[in-house]
Coordinates of all heavy atoms in Angstrom, one line a residue:
K295 N 13.1 -15.7 -8.7 CA 13.6 -14.3 -8.8 C 12.4 -13.5 -9.2 O 12.2 -12.3 -8.7 CB 14.7 -14.3 -9.9 CG 15.2 -12.8 -10.1 CD 15.9 -12.3 -8.9 CE 16.5 -10.9 -9.2 NZ 17.1 -10.3 -8.0
E296 N 11.6 -13.9 -10.2 CA 10.4 -13.2 -10.7 C 9.4 -13.0 -9.6 O 8.9 -11.9 -9.3 CB 9.8 -13.8 -11.9 CG 10.6 -13.9 -13.1 CD 11.0 -12.5 -13.6 OE1 10.0 -11.7 -13.7 OE2 12.1 -12.3 -14.0
E297 N 9.2 -14.1 -8.8 CA 8.2 -14.0 -7.7 C 8.7 -13.0 -6.6 O 7.9 -12.2 -6.1 CB 8.0 -15.4 -7.1 CG 6.9 -15.4 -6.0 CD 6.7 -16.8 -5.4 OE1 7.5 -17.7 -5.8 OE2 5.8 -17.0 -4.6
A298 N 10.0 -13.0 -6.3 CA 10.5 -12.1 -5.4 C 10.3 -10.7 -5.8 O 10.0 -9.8 -5.0 CB 12.0 -12.4 -5.1
Q299 N 10.6 -10.4 -7.2 CA 10.4 -9.1 -7.7 C 8.9 -8.7 -7.6 O 8.6 -7.5 -7.3 CB 10.9 -9.0 -9.1 CG 10.8 -7.7 -9.7 CD 11.1 -7.7 -11.2 OE1 10.4 -8.3 -12.1 NE2 12.2 -7.0 -11.6
F300 N 8.0 -9.6 -8.0 CA 6.5 -9.3 -7.9 C 6.1 -8.9 -6.5 O 5.4 -8.0 -6.3 CB 5.7 -10.5 -8.4 CG 5.9 -10.8 -9.9 CD1 5.7 -12.1 -10.4 CD2 6.3 -9.8 -10.8 CE1 5.9 -12.4 -11.7 CE2 6.4 -10.1 -12.1 CZ 6.2 -11.4 -12.6
K301 N 6.6 -9.7 -5.6 CA 6.2 -9.5 -4.2 C 6.8 -8.1 -3.7 O 6.1 -7.4 -3.0 CB 6.7 -10.6 -3.3 CG 5.9 -11.9 -3.5 CD 6.3 -13.0 -2.5 CE 5.5 -14.3 -2.7 NZ 5.9 -15.4 -1.8
H302 N 8.0 -7.8 -4.1 CA 8.6 -6.6 -3.7 C 7.8 -5.4 -4.3 O 7.5 -4.4 -3.6 CB 10.0 -6.5 -4.2 CG 10.6 -5.1 -4.0 ND1 11.0 -4.6 -2.8 CD2 11.0 -4.2 -5.0 CE1 11.5 -3.4 -3.0 NE2 11.5 -3.1 -4.3
R303 N 7.4 -5.5 -5.6 CA 6.6 -4.4 -6.2 C 5.2 -4.3 -5.6 O 4.7 -3.2 -5.3 CB 6.5 -4.6 -7.7 CG 7.8 -4.3 -8.4 CD 7.7 -4.6 -9.9 NE 9.0 -4.3 -10.6 CZ 9.2 -3.3 -11.4 NH1 8.2 -2.4 -11.6 NH2 10.3 -3.1 -12.0
F304 N 4.6 -5.5 -5.3 CA 3.3 -5.5 -4.7 C 3.3 -4.9 -3.3 O 2.4 -4.3 -2.8 CB 2.6 -6.8 -4.7 CG 1.2 -6.8 -4.2 CD1 0.2 -6.2 -5.1 CD2 0.9 -7.2 -3.0 CE1 -1.1 -6.2 -4.6 CE2 -0.4 -7.1 -2.5 CZ -1.4 -6.6 -3.3
D305 N 4.4 -5.2 -2.5 CA 4.5 -4.7 -1.2 C 4.6 -3.2 -1.2 O 4.0 -2.6 -0.3 CB 5.9 -5.2 -0.5 CG 5.8 -6.7 -0.1 OD1 4.6 -7.2 0.0 OD2 6.8 -7.3 0.1
R306 N 5.2 -2.6 -2.2 CA 5.2 -1.2 -2.3 C 3.8 -0.7 -2.6 O 3.3 0.4 -2.0 CB 6.1 -0.7 -3.4 CG 7.6 -1.1 -3.2 CD 8.5 -0.7 -4.3 NE 8.5 0.8 -4.5 CZ 9.0 1.4 -5.6 NH1 9.5 0.7 -6.6 NH2 9.0 2.7 -5.6
V307 N 3.0 -1.4 -3.5 CA 1.6 -1.1 -3.7 C 0.8 -1.1 -2.4 O 0.0 -0.3 -2.0 CB 1.0 -2.0 -4.8 CG1 -0.5 -1.7 -4.9 CG2 1.7 -1.8 -6.1
F308 N 1.0 -2.2 -1.7 CA 0.3 -2.5 -0.4 C 0.6 -1.4 0.6 O -0.3 -0.8 1.2 CB 0.7 -3.9 0.1 CG 0.0 -4.2 1.4 CD1 -1.3 -4.8 1.4 CD2 0.7 -4.0 2.6 CE1 -1.9 -5.1 2.6 CE2 0.0 -4.3 3.8 CZ -1.3 -4.8 3.8
D309 N 1.9 -1.1 0.8 CA 2.3 -0.1 1.8 C 1.7 1.3 1.5 O 1.2 2.0 2.4 CB 3.8 0.0 1.9 CG 4.4 -1.3 2.5 OD1 3.7 -2.1 3.2 OD2 5.6 -1.5 2.3
N310 N 1.8 1.7 0.2 CA 1.3 3.0 -0.1 C -0.3 3.0 0.0 O -0.8 4.0 0.5 CB 1.7 3.3 -1.6 CG 1.3 4.8 -1.9 OD1 2.0 5.7 -1.6 ND2 0.2 4.9 -2.6
Y311 N -0.9 1.9 -0.4 CA -2.4 1.9 -0.3 C -2.8 1.9 1.2 O -3.9 2.5 1.5 CB -2.9 0.7 -1.0 CG -4.4 0.7 -1.2 CD1 -5.0 1.7 -2.0 CD2 -5.3 -0.2 -0.6 CE1 -6.4 1.8 -2.2 CE2 -6.6 -0.2 -0.8 CZ -7.2 0.8 -1.6 OH -8.6 0.9 -1.7
K312 N -2.1 1.2 2.0 CA -2.4 1.2 3.4 C -2.3 2.6 4.0 O -3.2 3.1 4.7 CB -1.4 0.3 4.2 CG -1.8 0.1 5.7 CD -0.8 -0.8 6.4 CE -1.2 -1.0 7.8 NZ -0.2 -1.9 8.5
R313 N -1.3 3.4 3.6 CA -1.2 4.8 4.0 C -2.3 5.6 3.5 O -2.9 6.5 4.1 CB 0.2 5.3 3.6 CG 1.4 4.8 4.4 CD 2.6 5.6 4.1 NE 3.1 5.6 2.7 CZ 3.9 4.7 2.3 NH1 4.4 3.7 3.1 NH2 4.3 4.6 1.0
L314 N -2.7 5.2 2.2 CA -3.8 6.0 1.6 C -5.1 5.7 2.3 O -5.9 6.7 2.6 CB -3.9 5.5 0.1 CG -5.0 6.1 -0.7 CD1 -4.9 7.6 -0.8 CD2 -5.1 5.5 -2.1
I315 N -5.4 4.5 2.6 CA -6.7 4.2 3.3 C -6.7 4.8 4.8 O -7.8 5.2 5.3 CB -7.1 2.8 3.3 CG1 -6.1 1.9 4.0 CG2 -7.3 2.3 1.8 CD1 -6.5 0.4 4.0
L316 N -5.6 4.8 5.4 CA -5.5 5.3 6.8 C -5.8 6.8 6.7 O -6.4 7.4 7.5 CB -4.1 5.1 7.4 CG -3.9 3.6 7.8 CD1 -2.5 3.4 8.3 CD2 -4.9 3.2 9.0
R317 N -5.1 7.5 5.7 CA -5.4 8.9 5.5 C -6.8 9.2 5.1 O -7.4 10.2 5.6 CB -4.4 9.5 4.5 CG -4.6 10.9 4.2 CD -4.4 11.8 5.4 NE -3.0 11.7 5.9 CZ -2.6 12.6 6.9 NH1 -3.3 13.6 7.3 NH2 -1.4 12.4 7.4
Q318 N -7.4 8.3 4.3 CA -8.7 8.4 3.9 C -9.7 8.3 5.0 O -10.7 9.0 5.2 CB -9.1 7.4 2.8 CG -10.5 7.5 2.2 CD -10.6 8.7 1.3 OE1 -9.8 8.9 0.3 NE2 -11.5 9.6 1.6
K319 N -9.4 7.3 5.9 CA -10.2 7.1 7.2 C -10.2 8.4 8.0 O -11.3 8.8 8.5 CB -9.6 6.0 8.0 CG -10.4 5.7 9.2 CD -9.7 4.7 10.1 CE -8.6 5.4 10.8 NZ -8.0 4.5 11.9
R320 N -9.0 9.0 8.2 CA -9.0 10.2 9.0 C -9.7 11.3 8.3 O -10.5 12.1 9.0 CB -7.5 10.6 9.2 CG -7.3 11.8 10.1 CD -5.8 12.1 10.3 NE -5.0 11.0 10.7 CZ -3.7 11.0 10.9 NH1 -3.0 12.1 10.6 NH2 -3.1 10.0 11.3
F321 N -9.6 11.4 7.0 CA -10.3 12.5 6.3 C -11.8 12.2 6.4 O -12.6 13.2 6.6 CB -9.9 12.4 4.8 CG -10.7 13.4 3.9 CD1 -10.3 14.8 3.9 CD2 -11.7 13.0 3.2 CE1 -11.0 15.7 3.1 CE2 -12.5 13.9 2.4 CZ -12.1 15.2 2.3
N322 N -12.3 11.0 6.2 CA -13.7 10.7 6.3 C -14.3 10.9 7.7 O -15.4 11.3 7.8 CB -14.0 9.2 5.9 CG -13.8 9.0 4.4 OD1 -13.8 9.9 3.6 ND2 -13.6 7.7 4.1
W323 N -13.4 10.7 8.7 CA -13.9 11.0 10.1 C -14.3 12.4 10.3 O -15.3 12.8 10.7 CB -12.8 10.6 11.1 CG -13.0 10.9 12.5 CD1 -12.6 12.1 13.1 CD2 -13.8 10.2 13.4 NE1 -13.0 12.1 14.4 CE2 -13.8 11.0 14.6 CE3 -14.5 9.0 13.4 CZ2 -14.4 10.5 15.8 CZ3 -15.1 8.6 14.6 CH2 -15.1 9.3 15.7

């Protein structure tokens, strides 16, 4: 249960960070 919760929370970190770096890439371009 703890591992599932950790993965769920980290998935949210991952998804937001992916959007962040994609937006950062467009900005840097």
Side-chain angles (χ1 to χ4, degrees):
K295 179 66 175 178
E296 294 297 319
E297 184 177 8
Q299 183 187 64
F300 293 153
K301 287 182 177 180
H302 172 69
R303 287 178 180 253
F304 185 76
D305 284 345
R306 296 177 66 194
V307 174
F308 179 85
D309 291 342
N310 189 81
Y311 192 63
K312 185 177 179 180
R313 290 193 294 270
L314 178 62
I315 61 177
L316 287 174
R317 177 62 59 169
Q318 186 70 58
K319 182 192 73 171
R320 187 180 302 178
F321 177 80
N322 289 340
W323 173 265

